[in-house]
Amino acid sequence: MNYPIWVRYGRDAREMAADLLAAAQVERRIPAGASVAIKPNLVVPGPASLGAVTHPELVEGALRYLIDCGVTDITIMEGSWVGASTRQAFRDCGYDELARRYDVRLLDLKGDETVQVTVDGETIWVCRSALEAGYLINMPVIKGHCQTRMTCALKNLKGCIPDREKRRFHALGLQRPIALLAAALRPSVTLADGLCGDLEFEEGGNPVAMDRAALCFDPVRLDSWVCALLGFSPEDVPYISMAEALGAGSTYFEPADIVPLNEPPSLPQASPSRRIEELARHIDARQACSACYGSLLHALSRMREAGTLPRVTGSIRVGQGYRGQQLRGIGIGRCAAGCERRLPGCPPTARAIREFLEDAFRDS
Ligand code: SF4
């Protein structure tokens, strides 16, 4: 099934979640009387502004939508990474307060019963409450990851296995185990937080404002798009195609499958981390939307990791302030189409930017 990927830009996470769920008519898919589970990413305790965890406001938007649709049985469930306390994450990430306000349950999956599931001849252990949810809403963060390069829909499900299994997954190199888990535990829908996920690390610290959220019924397809969004090629993130081979979804998408609900907003004033400041030296932004600017930062970061980013690049232009101008040098996005060398798109993905810049710097 060719599911669309709905994208909503903005900074009001509550509205963004409700709009995406409504656009996809999620209420029609929830069986009457079903227990609904929401699985955010609360990998470590801390505020969502650091780029690691799902914004509670996004989950709040989903809760309001569900309650308006008459859903009464809702649980927010998570098992933070090994060594972190989920209880503390619930508290420090703002979920205790959220659960109180909306009278929903919080479940620490670290204490949940586990069930043995066999996939492709291999056995994995999965938390029973996630497996048996009547409707599972996966709410990951779109962000970089130091081992798997990126993390979103599929890797977020790792919070639904016990700690001993998380350790085993790491010992096995993560890629195939994540794919097996994708086949064992299929979220009903994935609503991804792309507001300010981290540039490189799942625990945050270098948030990049991207001001978007996205929804898809196919987690493999969503991850495949996120892979491009963050500047990676499919070979960089093998677990996505492994999950496809196990029947967990499709990696295929084309531009027509991406359905934006609105236009990207312009870039907010924020205090970037040093790592991001270093990359921003290469950019000359004028009234740039965060979606374009953030994609360019991710592309530069991928190039730096790959050793293809020259020390001096000249200014790379991006933003609405370049509309209608004929300029020398490099321009990114439709607005900078008057530049001598330019990449169209509104906004282009980081993968497209990376490929374009690597070509441009190779030629120069
Ligand atoms: S191309 Fe222009 S309008 Fe489109 S995202 Fe980039 S800066 Fe914004």
Side-chain angles (χ1 to χ4, degrees):
M1 177 81 188
N2 251 13
Y3 291 113
I5 299 173
W6 287 273
V7 181
R8 170 68 157 82
Y9 295 101
R11 294 183 196 121
D12 185 331
R14 295 177 189 87
E15 267 186 20
M16 291 159 76
D19 286 356
L20 284 166
L21 291 161
Q25 300 187 317
V26 167
E27 78 281 2
R28 294 192 178 186
R29 293 169 172 263
I30 302 176
S35 61
V36 173
I38 294 180
K39 162 66 178 80
N41 182 333
L42 304 180
V43 59
V44 287
S49 57
L50 293 178
V53 305
T54 307
H55 284 76
E57 297 84 0
L58 198 74
V59 175
E60 183 172 1
L63 287 176
R64 286 184 186 173
Y65 172 86
L66 293 168
I67 291 166
D68 283 352
C69 294
V71 177
T72 53
D73 184 353
I74 306 174
T75 304
I76 299 172
M77 53 179 65
E78 170 63 314
S80 299
W81 75 2
V82 175
S85 154
T86 314
R87 289 272 146 221
Q88 192 188 342
F90 281 145
R91 193 177 60 237
D92 295 359
C93 301
Y95 284 73
D96 273 355
E97 160 62 16
L98 193 60
R100 246 192 319 273
R101 209 153 4 110
Y102 289 89
D103 194 23
V104 298
R105 280 183 301 277
L106 291 178
L107 177 65
D108 178 358
L109 290 174
K110 286 183 191 247
D112 200 40
E113 259 185 63
T114 54
V115 178
Q116 212 174 351
V117 184
T118 301
V119 182
D120 202 30
E122 293 190 41
T123 298
I124 54 175
W125 292 87
V126 183
C127 295
R128 183 183 288 283
S129 300
L131 264 182
E132 294 184 354
Y135 197 85
L136 177 59
I137 304 180
N138 187 23
M139 294 190 66
V141 177
I142 297 174
K143 59 183 172 177
H145 188 281
C146 61
Q147 290 163 292
T148 56
R149 318 299 299 275
M150 57 144 273
T151 162
C152 185
L154 300 183
K155 193 173 168 301
N156 192 43
L157 299 174
K158 205 164 141 276
C160 300
I161 57 174
D163 277 2
R164 64 172 190 281
E165 194 67 342
K166 290 186 187 118
R167 288 192 193 92
R168 196 173 72 89
F169 271 33
H170 280 273
L172 294 171
L174 281 176
Q175 302 289 343
R176 180 157 162 81
I178 293 173
L180 293 170
L181 180 59
L185 176 64
R186 299 192 190 194
S188 313
V189 65
T190 300
L191 168 49
D193 179 341
L195 286 154
C196 65
D198 196 87
L199 188 67
E200 293 166 349
F201 298 103
E202 77 167 324
E203 65 270 39
N206 301 287
V208 179
M210 300 279 268
D211 293 333
R212 56 158 76 88
L215 182 146
C216 188
F217 292 107
D218 179 344
V220 176
R221 173 172 266 219
L222 184 66
D223 269 10
S224 190
W225 172 71
V226 167
C227 190
L229 195 67
L230 299 187
F232 295 110
S233 47
E235 313 80 65
D236 290 329
V237 193
Y239 67 75
I240 302 176
S241 47
M242 289 178 182
E244 180 181 45
L246 292 169
S250 165
T251 56
Y252 180 77
F253 69 92
E254 53 186 65
D257 298 323
I258 314 301
V259 183
L261 301 184
N262 62 342
E263 295 280 315
S266 57
L267 189 65
Q269 293 302 315
S271 323
S273 69
R274 214 163 123 221
R275 199 176 278 265
I276 287 173
E277 261 178 1
E278 278 167 24
L279 294 172
R281 287 189 295 114
H282 299 278
I283 306 175
D284 188 356
R286 292 193 194 159
Q287 296 161 267
C289 298
S290 40
C292 237
Y293 189 81
S295 294
L296 179 52
L297 281 174
H298 274 285
L300 294 173
S301 179
R302 304 296 88 86
M303 290 169 67
R304 186 174 57 185
E305 287 156 16
T308 55
L309 179 65
R311 220 165 52 79
V312 180
T313 57
S315 292
I316 302 168
R317 298 188 168 93
V318 63
Q320 299 180 45
Y322 289 111
R323 272 190 187 147
Q325 295 191 37
Q326 301 296 316
L327 296 163
R328 295 181 68 81
I330 293 177
I332 298 296
R334 188 178 64 193
C335 295
C339 289
E340 197 177 20
R341 296 199 72 158
R342 67 259 179 186
L343 175 72
C346 178
T349 63
R351 184 156 81 209
I353 298 173
R354 174 186 173 174
E355 287 167 2
F356 165 77
L357 289 178
E358 284 177 343
D359 265 2
F361 295 141
R362 206 176 294 122
D363 295 350
S364 61

